[in-house]
Amino acid sequence: MKGIYRVIFIITIVALFVFIIGYLMVDVWDPDFWWHLATGKWIVEHGRLPDQDPFSFATLQKDPYTPINRVKLILTQYWLAQILLYKIYSLYGFAGVSVMRAMILTLTVAILFPLLRLYRVSTTIILPLIIVSAYLLKPFAGERPQLFSFLFAGIVIYLMEKMSRPLMSDKDSRSSRLKIYHLLLLLCMPLWANLHGGFIYGIVVIAIYLVSHWLSLFIRKRRLETVDIRPYVKFTTTTSLAVLLTLLNPNTYYSLINHFRYKPFIYLMYVQEFTPTFKLFHTNKGYFAMLVLLTLLIFVELVRTRRINISHLLLFIFNAFISLLAVRFVPLFLVSGSFLIGVYLNKLIKLKIFEKNKGLEAIATLLICMCIIGAGFLTGRVSVDKLYLTGVEYTLYPYAAADFLKTLPPRRIFNPYTWGGYLIWRLYPQYKVFIDGRGLNQEIFLQYMEVVRVNQTEFGGLPKWKAILNSYGIDYIIIAPYHEYSMGLALTYALVDDQDWQLIFADDFALVFVRNTKEFKPLIKKYSLPGDIVYAVTAQQALKKAYTKTTPKKKKVAAFVTAIDALVRINKLEDAKYALYRAYEIAPDDKAVWEWIKALGLEEEFK
């Protein structure tokens, strides 16, 4: 019978990871993927790292808002990951990129298995935790170098735990197997430092284990225990050397200190990944559930035993702090938090029944995993048609507009921040972009916001937004009519009404305007489009967003209001009235909804 249960266990693990790989294999979607891919191509073609920005005409080598050379840091920090991305794309296309992403993330959650087995945690806890971790990690993991930081975070924690064994149990620290873990750490840290700036997280994890072990040694000495100090010295030597080896990167020690000196206060106001996580509670409920659970488990362990592993406590405090500080750090908490939850949940519930009956453990594990996966299907988190996807989510990007721009005489373009990377990939070297997701200069980002918000303050005899466009000699503007990855609806409408700009391209995802000058008269004559198209497309896309089931209520109302505004502009009042009714049904007290009710003289109907 033991053989049958072993087969059940193996089948469960294989099926589980087949599911996880498929679940994490999605179409390429991350806006930053494209500039990483383009940079990898540039490095391969030129055989060196860029020392100046090759992709944007607006980049400043010295940013008045940034006292460090952020440009050089961003251009060279990710070089190894960028080359890997480009090489995989060159060999296997976007399917290869999707597979690579899925495999890295699968390995990231799979590390939980050997990590938790160090503490003899039951598989009835480990495998469900792996599934939940995959569920929570997926939304954060785009196709960019940060994937390697998630993976290496788990690897370094595992190596720290293995290297800590002799310090906690007085085992022989000279075994050949232990030397392998020391060597792996020495290889991992410099490799990580050339893949992504997240290696700083690895340094902090190493420091946490180093401090906690020497603190434990001090406590044991105070108790007059006999302790062999040699394992502590060896641990300190290896970890210190591993940290020093991270200096073997293009930016040497600047890659470390610049991350602490750089204060992206402008990005903090506008870019979501810098947003404190509690402000995005509605999209991070799983993270907060895990944080609360782990906090309770740590508290119960302290109350129950009056002692706790110091390195685990410090690891929890550090990861909780940074993950609350900014949403970009949540994935790192998911890696370490899942590990700690497994350890302390196992201590609390003590599933000793499975130690004697492995068959029961195998069946229980299978049933629990099936329930969690089933719950994923029932809640819509998982669907069959979204497994094993290997394409590109082109609905997020101006594919046709980029093709159109290729047919025009090359000129300077103004583009949305989140489309910059894609346009770099599609249009370089024919075009250089104004701005992109690298965020090289806060000054340029600030100017970008002045334009998209149509700042009317007079500057040099012109509205400031027009003065900025003129100062850079911009002749083409590409913008979205209504799009979740773009902003600038005010700019879109301003361009339609402005005699200095003419619409020459429009589809469901993008609009292209050209400067209305003598030079471009032939172009305007050939491609000119009426402005009403903009309002029609905006209304169509806004209504599409509003009627999407997964759109949160607040965003549904905003989409309906946008559609109402556009429909009124093209005199489709009945359609506008119907959209207003739908918005009222969702939020009858919404201020913007009532403004439109009053504007259309419908107060009596809505009483």
Side-chain angles (χ1 to χ4, degrees), residues 33 37 40-41 44-45 82-97 425:
F33 161 73
L37 187 63
K41 180 182 180 182
V44 170
E45 290 178 348
Q82 290 165 336
I83 290 175
L84 286 172
L85 277 173
Y86 178 66
K87 286 293 186 181
I88 289 172
Y89 168 78
S90 300
L91 293 171
Y92 307 108
F94 292 117
V97 175
W425 174 249

mmCIF file with all atom_site columns, all heavy atoms in Angstrom, residues 33 37 40-41 44-45 82-97 425:
data_model
loop_
_atom_site.group_PDB
_atom_site.id
_atom_site.type_symbol
_atom_site.label_atom_id
_atom_site.label_alt_id
_atom_site.label_comp_id
_atom_site.label_asym_id
_atom_site.label_entity_id
_atom_site.label_seq_id
_atom_site.pdbx_PDB_ins_code
_atom_site.Cartn_x
_atom_site.Cartn_y
_atom_site.Cartn_z
_atom_site.occupancy
_atom_site.B_iso_or_equiv
_atom_site.pdbx_formal_charge
_atom_site.auth_seq_id
_atom_site.auth_comp_id
_atom_site.auth_asym_id
_atom_site.auth_atom_id
_atom_site.pdbx_PDB_model_num
ATOM 1   N N   . PHE A 1 33  ? 8.784  45.609 -20.161 1.00 0.00 ? 33  PHE A N   1
ATOM 2   C CA  . PHE A 1 33  ? 9.467  44.518 -20.864 1.00 0.00 ? 33  PHE A CA  1
ATOM 3   C C   . PHE A 1 33  ? 10.140 45.019 -22.140 1.00 0.00 ? 33  PHE A C   1
ATOM 4   O O   . PHE A 1 33  ? 11.262 44.618 -22.468 1.00 0.00 ? 33  PHE A O   1
ATOM 5   C CB  . PHE A 1 33  ? 8.457  43.421 -21.206 1.00 0.00 ? 33  PHE A CB  1
ATOM 6   C CG  . PHE A 1 33  ? 8.910  42.481 -22.285 1.00 0.00 ? 33  PHE A CG  1
ATOM 7   C CD1 . PHE A 1 33  ? 9.885  41.535 -22.041 1.00 0.00 ? 33  PHE A CD1 1
ATOM 8   C CD2 . PHE A 1 33  ? 8.360  42.554 -23.566 1.00 0.00 ? 33  PHE A CD2 1
ATOM 9   C CE1 . PHE A 1 33  ? 10.311 40.668 -23.044 1.00 0.00 ? 33  PHE A CE1 1
ATOM 10  C CE2 . PHE A 1 33  ? 8.775  41.699 -24.569 1.00 0.00 ? 33  PHE A CE2 1
ATOM 11  C CZ  . PHE A 1 33  ? 9.747  40.752 -24.315 1.00 0.00 ? 33  PHE A CZ  1
ATOM 12  N N   . LEU A 1 37  ? 13.975 44.665 -23.406 1.00 0.00 ? 37  LEU A N   1
ATOM 13  C CA  . LEU A 1 37  ? 14.277 43.883 -24.613 1.00 0.00 ? 37  LEU A CA  1
ATOM 14  C C   . LEU A 1 37  ? 15.106 44.710 -25.591 1.00 0.00 ? 37  LEU A C   1
ATOM 15  O O   . LEU A 1 37  ? 16.090 44.205 -26.164 1.00 0.00 ? 37  LEU A O   1
ATOM 16  C CB  . LEU A 1 37  ? 12.968 43.433 -25.256 1.00 0.00 ? 37  LEU A CB  1
ATOM 17  C CG  . LEU A 1 37  ? 13.068 42.459 -26.432 1.00 0.00 ? 37  LEU A CG  1
ATOM 18  C CD1 . LEU A 1 37  ? 13.691 41.146 -26.005 1.00 0.00 ? 37  LEU A CD1 1
ATOM 19  C CD2 . LEU A 1 37  ? 11.688 42.211 -27.043 1.00 0.00 ? 37  LEU A CD2 1
ATOM 20  N N   . GLY A 1 40  ? 18.662 45.062 -24.304 1.00 0.00 ? 40  GLY A N   1
ATOM 21  C CA  . GLY A 1 40  ? 19.407 43.821 -24.522 1.00 0.00 ? 40  GLY A CA  1
ATOM 22  C C   . GLY A 1 40  ? 19.867 43.703 -25.966 1.00 0.00 ? 40  GLY A C   1
ATOM 23  O O   . GLY A 1 40  ? 21.017 43.306 -26.244 1.00 0.00 ? 40  GLY A O   1
ATOM 24  N N   . LYS A 1 41  ? 18.995 44.066 -26.906 1.00 0.00 ? 41  LYS A N   1
ATOM 25  C CA  . LYS A 1 41  ? 19.357 44.033 -28.324 1.00 0.00 ? 41  LYS A CA  1
ATOM 26  C C   . LYS A 1 41  ? 20.490 45.014 -28.611 1.00 0.00 ? 41  LYS A C   1
ATOM 27  O O   . LYS A 1 41  ? 21.447 44.683 -29.328 1.00 0.00 ? 41  LYS A O   1
ATOM 28  C CB  . LYS A 1 41  ? 18.131 44.381 -29.169 1.00 0.00 ? 41  LYS A CB  1
ATOM 29  C CG  . LYS A 1 41  ? 18.400 44.381 -30.666 1.00 0.00 ? 41  LYS A CG  1
ATOM 30  C CD  . LYS A 1 41  ? 17.156 44.785 -31.449 1.00 0.00 ? 41  LYS A CD  1
ATOM 31  C CE  . LYS A 1 41  ? 17.443 44.786 -32.946 1.00 0.00 ? 41  LYS A CE  1
ATOM 32  N NZ  . LYS A 1 41  ? 16.255 45.220 -33.728 1.00 0.00 ? 41  LYS A NZ  1
ATOM 33  N N   . VAL A 1 44  ? 23.822 43.651 -27.289 1.00 0.00 ? 44  VAL A N   1
ATOM 34  C CA  . VAL A 1 44  ? 24.314 42.553 -28.123 1.00 0.00 ? 44  VAL A CA  1
ATOM 35  C C   . VAL A 1 44  ? 24.869 43.081 -29.446 1.00 0.00 ? 44  VAL A C   1
ATOM 36  O O   . VAL A 1 44  ? 25.940 42.668 -29.903 1.00 0.00 ? 44  VAL A O   1
ATOM 37  C CB  . VAL A 1 44  ? 23.193 41.520 -28.377 1.00 0.00 ? 44  VAL A CB  1
ATOM 38  C CG1 . VAL A 1 44  ? 23.615 40.510 -29.446 1.00 0.00 ? 44  VAL A CG1 1
ATOM 39  C CG2 . VAL A 1 44  ? 22.821 40.798 -27.084 1.00 0.00 ? 44  VAL A CG2 1
ATOM 40  N N   . GLU A 1 45  ? 24.161 44.009 -30.063 1.00 0.00 ? 45  GLU A N   1
ATOM 41  C CA  . GLU A 1 45  ? 24.581 44.531 -31.369 1.00 0.00 ? 45  GLU A CA  1
ATOM 42  C C   . GLU A 1 45  ? 25.829 45.404 -31.280 1.00 0.00 ? 45  GLU A C   1
ATOM 43  O O   . GLU A 1 45  ? 26.662 45.407 -32.193 1.00 0.00 ? 45  GLU A O   1
ATOM 44  C CB  . GLU A 1 45  ? 23.444 45.330 -32.001 1.00 0.00 ? 45  GLU A CB  1
ATOM 45  C CG  . GLU A 1 45  ? 22.270 44.461 -32.449 1.00 0.00 ? 45  GLU A CG  1
ATOM 46  C CD  . GLU A 1 45  ? 21.120 45.258 -33.029 1.00 0.00 ? 45  GLU A CD  1
ATOM 47  O OE1 . GLU A 1 45  ? 21.124 46.504 -32.886 1.00 0.00 ? 45  GLU A OE1 1
ATOM 48  O OE2 . GLU A 1 45  ? 20.223 44.654 -33.632 1.00 0.00 ? 45  GLU A OE2 1
ATOM 49  N N   . GLN A 1 82  ? 18.905 41.644 -19.303 1.00 0.00 ? 82  GLN A N   1
ATOM 50  C CA  . GLN A 1 82  ? 18.447 42.163 -20.592 1.00 0.00 ? 82  GLN A CA  1
ATOM 51  C C   . GLN A 1 82  ? 19.003 41.351 -21.753 1.00 0.00 ? 82  GLN A C   1
ATOM 52  O O   . GLN A 1 82  ? 18.292 41.086 -22.736 1.00 0.00 ? 82  GLN A O   1
ATOM 53  C CB  . GLN A 1 82  ? 18.834 43.639 -20.713 1.00 0.00 ? 82  GLN A CB  1
ATOM 54  C CG  . GLN A 1 82  ? 18.034 44.537 -19.775 1.00 0.00 ? 82  GLN A CG  1
ATOM 55  C CD  . GLN A 1 82  ? 18.629 45.917 -19.622 1.00 0.00 ? 82  GLN A CD  1
ATOM 56  O OE1 . GLN A 1 82  ? 19.822 46.128 -19.817 1.00 0.00 ? 82  GLN A OE1 1
ATOM 57  N NE2 . GLN A 1 82  ? 17.800 46.891 -19.257 1.00 0.00 ? 82  GLN A NE2 1
ATOM 58  N N   . ILE A 1 83  ? 20.248 40.953 -21.636 1.00 0.00 ? 83  ILE A N   1
ATOM 59  C CA  . ILE A 1 83  ? 20.836 40.093 -22.674 1.00 0.00 ? 83  ILE A CA  1
ATOM 60  C C   . ILE A 1 83  ? 20.120 38.749 -22.717 1.00 0.00 ? 83  ILE A C   1
ATOM 61  O O   . ILE A 1 83  ? 19.820 38.219 -23.800 1.00 0.00 ? 83  ILE A O   1
ATOM 62  C CB  . ILE A 1 83  ? 22.349 39.913 -22.431 1.00 0.00 ? 83  ILE A CB  1
ATOM 63  C CG1 . ILE A 1 83  ? 23.093 41.214 -22.716 1.00 0.00 ? 83  ILE A CG1 1
ATOM 64  C CG2 . ILE A 1 83  ? 22.913 38.793 -23.315 1.00 0.00 ? 83  ILE A CG2 1
ATOM 65  C CD1 . ILE A 1 83  ? 24.570 41.175 -22.382 1.00 0.00 ? 83  ILE A CD1 1
ATOM 66  N N   . LEU A 1 84  ? 19.845 38.171 -21.552 1.00 0.00 ? 84  LEU A N   1
ATOM 67  C CA  . LEU A 1 84  ? 19.124 36.890 -21.495 1.00 0.00 ? 84  LEU A CA  1
ATOM 68  C C   . LEU A 1 84  ? 17.737 37.010 -22.128 1.00 0.00 ? 84  LEU A C   1
ATOM 69  O O   . LEU A 1 84  ? 17.325 36.136 -22.906 1.00 0.00 ? 84  LEU A O   1
ATOM 70  C CB  . LEU A 1 84  ? 18.993 36.429 -20.042 1.00 0.00 ? 84  LEU A CB  1
ATOM 71  C CG  . LEU A 1 84  ? 20.264 35.891 -19.377 1.00 0.00 ? 84  LEU A CG  1
ATOM 72  C CD1 . LEU A 1 84  ? 20.022 35.663 -17.894 1.00 0.00 ? 84  LEU A CD1 1
ATOM 73  C CD2 . LEU A 1 84  ? 20.711 34.594 -20.037 1.00 0.00 ? 84  LEU A CD2 1
ATOM 74  N N   . LEU A 1 85  ? 17.019 38.095 -21.806 1.00 0.00 ? 85  LEU A N   1
ATOM 75  C CA  . LEU A 1 85  ? 15.701 38.316 -22.395 1.00 0.00 ? 85  LEU A CA  1
ATOM 76  C C   . LEU A 1 85  ? 15.787 38.378 -23.919 1.00 0.00 ? 85  LEU A C   1
ATOM 77  O O   . LEU A 1 85  ? 14.992 37.749 -24.631 1.00 0.00 ? 85  LEU A O   1
ATOM 78  C CB  . LEU A 1 85  ? 15.097 39.612 -21.861 1.00 0.00 ? 85  LEU A CB  1
ATOM 79  C CG  . LEU A 1 85  ? 14.382 39.575 -20.513 1.00 0.00 ? 85  LEU A CG  1
ATOM 80  C CD1 . LEU A 1 85  ? 14.000 40.986 -20.080 1.00 0.00 ? 85  LEU A CD1 1
ATOM 81  C CD2 . LEU A 1 85  ? 13.139 38.706 -20.566 1.00 0.00 ? 85  LEU A CD2 1
ATOM 82  N N   . TYR A 1 86  ? 16.756 39.139 -24.413 1.00 0.00 ? 86  TYR A N   1
ATOM 83  C CA  . TYR A 1 86  ? 16.868 39.304 -25.862 1.00 0.00 ? 86  TYR A CA  1
ATOM 84  C C   . TYR A 1 86  ? 17.298 38.006 -26.541 1.00 0.00 ? 86  TYR A C   1
ATOM 85  O O   . TYR A 1 86  ? 16.791 37.660 -27.618 1.00 0.00 ? 86  TYR A O   1
ATOM 86  C CB  . TYR A 1 86  ? 17.861 40.424 -26.194 1.00 0.00 ? 86  TYR A CB  1
ATOM 87  C CG  . TYR A 1 86  ? 18.046 40.586 -27.686 1.00 0.00 ? 86  TYR A CG  1
ATOM 88  C CD1 . TYR A 1 86  ? 16.982 41.020 -28.483 1.00 0.00 ? 86  TYR A CD1 1
ATOM 89  C CD2 . TYR A 1 86  ? 19.258 40.277 -28.303 1.00 0.00 ? 86  TYR A CD2 1
ATOM 90  C CE1 . TYR A 1 86  ? 17.135 41.146 -29.857 1.00 0.00 ? 86  TYR A CE1 1
ATOM 91  C CE2 . TYR A 1 86  ? 19.417 40.401 -29.671 1.00 0.00 ? 86  TYR A CE2 1
ATOM 92  C CZ  . TYR A 1 86  ? 18.343 40.832 -30.442 1.00 0.00 ? 86  TYR A CZ  1
ATOM 93  O OH  . TYR A 1 86  ? 18.485 40.942 -31.809 1.00 0.00 ? 86  TYR A OH  1
ATOM 94  N N   . LYS A 1 87  ? 18.219 37.279 -25.936 1.00 0.00 ? 87  LYS A N   1
ATOM 95  C CA  . LYS A 1 87  ? 18.674 36.013 -26.519 1.00 0.00 ? 87  LYS A CA  1
ATOM 96  C C   . LYS A 1 87  ? 17.528 35.005 -26.584 1.00 0.00 ? 87  LYS A C   1
ATOM 97  O O   . LYS A 1 87  ? 17.370 34.300 -27.594 1.00 0.00 ? 87  LYS A O   1
ATOM 98  C CB  . LYS A 1 87  ? 19.830 35.449 -25.694 1.00 0.00 ? 87  LYS A CB  1
ATOM 99  C CG  . LYS A 1 87  ? 21.153 36.179 -25.891 1.00 0.00 ? 87  LYS A CG  1
ATOM 100 C CD  . LYS A 1 87  ? 21.702 35.975 -27.295 1.00 0.00 ? 87  LYS A CD  1
ATOM 101 C CE  . LYS A 1 87  ? 23.093 36.573 -27.444 1.00 0.00 ? 87  LYS A CE  1
ATOM 102 N NZ  . LYS A 1 87  ? 23.616 36.400 -28.824 1.00 0.00 ? 87  LYS A NZ  1
ATOM 103 N N   . ILE A 1 88  ? 16.747 34.918 -25.528 1.00 0.00 ? 88  ILE A N   1
ATOM 104 C CA  . ILE A 1 88  ? 15.598 34.004 -25.525 1.00 0.00 ? 88  ILE A CA  1
ATOM 105 C C   . ILE A 1 88  ? 14.584 34.422 -26.579 1.00 0.00 ? 88  ILE A C   1
ATOM 106 O O   . ILE A 1 88  ? 14.059 33.586 -27.324 1.00 0.00 ? 88  ILE A O   1
ATOM 107 C CB  . ILE A 1 88  ? 14.954 33.951 -24.125 1.00 0.00 ? 88  ILE A CB  1
ATOM 108 C CG1 . ILE A 1 88  ? 15.886 33.216 -23.162 1.00 0.00 ? 88  ILE A CG1 1
ATOM 109 C CG2 . ILE A 1 88  ? 13.588 33.260 -24.171 1.00 0.00 ? 88  ILE A CG2 1
ATOM 110 C CD1 . ILE A 1 88  ? 15.460 33.261 -21.718 1.00 0.00 ? 88  ILE A CD1 1
ATOM 111 N N   . TYR A 1 89  ? 14.334 35.730 -26.671 1.00 0.00 ? 89  TYR A N   1
ATOM 112 C CA  . TYR A 1 89  ? 13.414 36.218 -27.694 1.00 0.00 ? 89  TYR A CA  1
ATOM 113 C C   . TYR A 1 89  ? 13.948 35.910 -29.099 1.00 0.00 ? 89  TYR A C   1
ATOM 114 O O   . TYR A 1 89  ? 13.189 35.496 -29.980 1.00 0.00 ? 89  TYR A O   1
ATOM 115 C CB  . TYR A 1 89  ? 13.201 37.718 -27.535 1.00 0.00 ? 89  TYR A CB  1
ATOM 116 C CG  . TYR A 1 89  ? 12.503 38.343 -28.722 1.00 0.00 ? 89  TYR A CG  1
ATOM 117 C CD1 . TYR A 1 89  ? 11.125 38.215 -28.893 1.00 0.00 ? 89  TYR A CD1 1
ATOM 118 C CD2 . TYR A 1 89  ? 13.228 39.034 -29.709 1.00 0.00 ? 89  TYR A CD2 1
ATOM 119 C CE1 . TYR A 1 89  ? 10.491 38.752 -29.995 1.00 0.00 ? 89  TYR A CE1 1
ATOM 120 C CE2 . TYR A 1 89  ? 12.591 39.576 -30.812 1.00 0.00 ? 89  TYR A CE2 1
ATOM 121 C CZ  . TYR A 1 89  ? 11.227 39.429 -30.946 1.00 0.00 ? 89  TYR A CZ  1
ATOM 122 O OH  . TYR A 1 89  ? 10.598 39.956 -32.046 1.00 0.00 ? 89  TYR A OH  1
ATOM 123 N N   . SER A 1 90  ? 15.239 36.115 -29.295 1.00 0.00 ? 90  SER A N   1
ATOM 124 C CA  . SER A 1 90  ? 15.839 35.880 -30.616 1.00 0.00 ? 90  SER A CA  1
ATOM 125 C C   . SER A 1 90  ? 15.700 34.423 -31.042 1.00 0.00 ? 90  SER A C   1
ATOM 126 O O   . SER A 1 90  ? 15.499 34.127 -32.226 1.00 0.00 ? 90  SER A O   1
ATOM 127 C CB  . SER A 1 90  ? 17.321 36.269 -30.595 1.00 0.00 ? 90  SER A CB  1
ATOM 128 O OG  . SER A 1 90  ? 17.486 37.630 -30.281 1.00 0.00 ? 90  SER A OG  1
ATOM 129 N N   . LEU A 1 91  ? 15.792 33.517 -30.081 1.00 0.00 ? 91  LEU A N   1
ATOM 130 C CA  . LEU A 1 91  ? 15.741 32.086 -30.395 1.00 0.00 ? 91  LEU A CA  1
ATOM 131 C C   . LEU A 1 91  ? 14.317 31.542 -30.463 1.00 0.00 ? 91  LEU A C   1
ATOM 132 O O   . LEU A 1 91  ? 14.002 30.720 -31.332 1.00 0.00 ? 91  LEU A O   1
ATOM 133 C CB  . LEU A 1 91  ? 16.543 31.300 -29.349 1.00 0.00 ? 91  LEU A CB  1
ATOM 134 C CG  . LEU A 1 91  ? 18.059 31.527 -29.342 1.00 0.00 ? 91  LEU A CG  1
ATOM 135 C CD1 . LEU A 1 91  ? 18.690 30.862 -28.125 1.00 0.00 ? 91  LEU A CD1 1
ATOM 136 C CD2 . LEU A 1 91  ? 18.693 30.983 -30.631 1.00 0.00 ? 91  LEU A CD2 1
ATOM 137 N N   . TYR A 1 92  ? 13.464 32.003 -29.564 1.00 0.00 ? 92  TYR A N   1
ATOM 138 C CA  . TYR A 1 92  ? 12.145 31.371 -29.415 1.00 0.00 ? 92  TYR A CA  1
ATOM 139 C C   . TYR A 1 92  ? 10.959 32.339 -29.509 1.00 0.00 ? 92  TYR A C   1
ATOM 140 O O   . TYR A 1 92  ? 9.814  31.912 -29.354 1.00 0.00 ? 92  TYR A O   1
ATOM 141 C CB  . TYR A 1 92  ? 12.075 30.629 -28.074 1.00 0.00 ? 92  TYR A CB  1
ATOM 142 C CG  . TYR A 1 92  ? 13.214 29.666 -27.872 1.00 0.00 ? 92  TYR A CG  1
ATOM 143 C CD1 . TYR A 1 92  ? 14.227 29.949 -26.951 1.00 0.00 ? 92  TYR A CD1 1
ATOM 144 C CD2 . TYR A 1 92  ? 13.305 28.492 -28.612 1.00 0.00 ? 92  TYR A CD2 1
ATOM 145 C CE1 . TYR A 1 92  ? 15.290 29.071 -26.767 1.00 0.00 ? 92  TYR A CE1 1
ATOM 146 C CE2 . TYR A 1 92  ? 14.366 27.615 -28.433 1.00 0.00 ? 92  TYR A CE2 1
ATOM 147 C CZ  . TYR A 1 92  ? 15.354 27.908 -27.513 1.00 0.00 ? 92  TYR A CZ  1
ATOM 148 O OH  . TYR A 1 92  ? 16.402 27.048 -27.332 1.00 0.00 ? 92  TYR A OH  1
ATOM 149 N N   . GLY A 1 93  ? 11.235 33.616 -29.761 1.00 0.00 ? 93  GLY A N   1
ATOM 150 C CA  . GLY A 1 93  ? 10.149 34.575 -29.892 1.00 0.00 ? 93  GLY A CA  1
ATOM 151 C C   . GLY A 1 93  ? 9.470  34.861 -28.562 1.00 0.00 ? 93  GLY A C   1
ATOM 152 O O   . GLY A 1 93  ? 9.995  34.563 -27.487 1.00 0.00 ? 93  GLY A O   1
ATOM 153 N N   . PHE A 1 94  ? 8.274  35.432 -28.647 1.00 0.00 ? 94  PHE A N   1
ATOM 154 C CA  . PHE A 1 94  ? 7.541  35.796 -27.424 1.00 0.00 ? 94  PHE A CA  1
ATOM 155 C C   . PHE A 1 94  ? 7.106  34.564 -26.632 1.00 0.00 ? 94  PHE A C   1
ATOM 156 O O   . PHE A 1 94  ? 6.944  34.631 -25.412 1.00 0.00 ? 94  PHE A O   1
ATOM 157 C CB  . PHE A 1 94  ? 6.333  36.655 -27.773 1.00 0.00 ? 94  PHE A CB  1
ATOM 158 C CG  . PHE A 1 94  ? 6.702  38.009 -28.299 1.00 0.00 ? 94  PHE A CG  1
ATOM 159 C CD1 . PHE A 1 94  ? 6.363  38.392 -29.589 1.00 0.00 ? 94  PHE A CD1 1
ATOM 160 C CD2 . PHE A 1 94  ? 7.414  38.907 -27.513 1.00 0.00 ? 94  PHE A CD2 1
ATOM 161 C CE1 . PHE A 1 94  ? 6.707  39.645 -30.081 1.00 0.00 ? 94  PHE A CE1 1
ATOM 162 C CE2 . PHE A 1 94  ? 7.768  40.161 -27.993 1.00 0.00 ? 94  PHE A CE2 1
ATOM 163 C CZ  . PHE A 1 94  ? 7.417  40.527 -29.283 1.00 0.00 ? 94  PHE A CZ  1
ATOM 164 N N   . ALA A 1 95  ? 6.935  33.437 -27.317 1.00 0.00 ? 95  ALA A N   1
ATOM 165 C CA  . ALA A 1 95  ? 6.596  32.197 -26.607 1.00 0.00 ? 95  ALA A CA  1
ATOM 166 C C   . ALA A 1 95  ? 7.719  31.822 -25.646 1.00 0.00 ? 95  ALA A C   1
ATOM 167 O O   . ALA A 1 95  ? 7.472  31.396 -24.513 1.00 0.00 ? 95  ALA A O   1
ATOM 168 C CB  . ALA A 1 95  ? 6.356  31.072 -27.606 1.00 0.00 ? 95  ALA A CB  1
ATOM 169 N N   . GLY A 1 96  ? 8.957  31.993 -26.095 1.00 0.00 ? 96  GLY A N   1
ATOM 170 C CA  . GLY A 1 96  ? 10.099 31.701 -25.228 1.00 0.00 ? 96  GLY A CA  1
ATOM 171 C C   . GLY A 1 96  ? 10.130 32.594 -24.013 1.00 0.00 ? 96  GLY A C   1
ATOM 172 O O   . GLY A 1 96  ? 10.455 32.149 -22.901 1.00 0.00 ? 96  GLY A O   1
ATOM 173 N N   . VAL A 1 97  ? 9.771  33.871 -24.195 1.00 0.00 ? 97  VAL A N   1
ATOM 174 C CA  . VAL A 1 97  ? 9.734  34.817 -23.068 1.00 0.00 ? 97  VAL A CA  1
ATOM 175 C C   . VAL A 1 97  ? 8.667  34.400 -22.060 1.00 0.00 ? 97  VAL A C   1
ATOM 176 O O   . VAL A 1 97  ? 8.887  34.419 -20.843 1.00 0.00 ? 97  VAL A O   1
ATOM 177 C CB  . VAL A 1 97  ? 9.467  36.251 -23.572 1.00 0.00 ? 97  VAL A CB  1
ATOM 178 C CG1 . VAL A 1 97  ? 9.300  37.209 -22.398 1.00 0.00 ? 97  VAL A CG1 1
ATOM 179 C CG2 . VAL A 1 97  ? 10.614 36.722 -24.473 1.00 0.00 ? 97  VAL A CG2 1
ATOM 180 N N   . TRP A 1 425 ? 10.884 49.748 -28.722 1.00 0.00 ? 425 TRP A N   1
ATOM 181 C CA  . TRP A 1 425 ? 11.094 48.454 -29.378 1.00 0.00 ? 425 TRP A CA  1
ATOM 182 C C   . TRP A 1 425 ? 10.635 48.484 -30.831 1.00 0.00 ? 425 TRP A C   1
ATOM 183 O O   . TRP A 1 425 ? 11.310 47.958 -31.719 1.00 0.00 ? 425 TRP A O   1
ATOM 184 C CB  . TRP A 1 425 ? 10.380 47.351 -28.612 1.00 0.00 ? 425 TRP A CB  1
ATOM 185 C CG  . TRP A 1 425 ? 10.426 46.016 -29.298 1.00 0.00 ? 425 TRP A CG  1
ATOM 186 C CD1 . TRP A 1 425 ? 9.386  45.354 -29.871 1.00 0.00 ? 425 TRP A CD1 1
ATOM 187 C CD2 . TRP A 1 425 ? 11.573 45.194 -29.489 1.00 0.00 ? 425 TRP A CD2 1
ATOM 188 N NE1 . TRP A 1 425 ? 9.812  44.170 -30.413 1.00 0.00 ? 425 TRP A NE1 1
ATOM 189 C CE2 . TRP A 1 425 ? 11.154 44.031 -30.186 1.00 0.00 ? 425 TRP A CE2 1
ATOM 190 C CE3 . TRP A 1 425 ? 12.921 45.314 -29.136 1.00 0.00 ? 425 TRP A CE3 1
ATOM 191 C CZ2 . TRP A 1 425 ? 12.032 43.018 -30.547 1.00 0.00 ? 425 TRP A CZ2 1
ATOM 192 C CZ3 . TRP A 1 425 ? 13.795 44.294 -29.493 1.00 0.00 ? 425 TRP A CZ3 1
ATOM 193 C CH2 . TRP A 1 425 ? 13.354 43.162 -30.185 1.00 0.00 ? 425 TRP A CH2 1
#
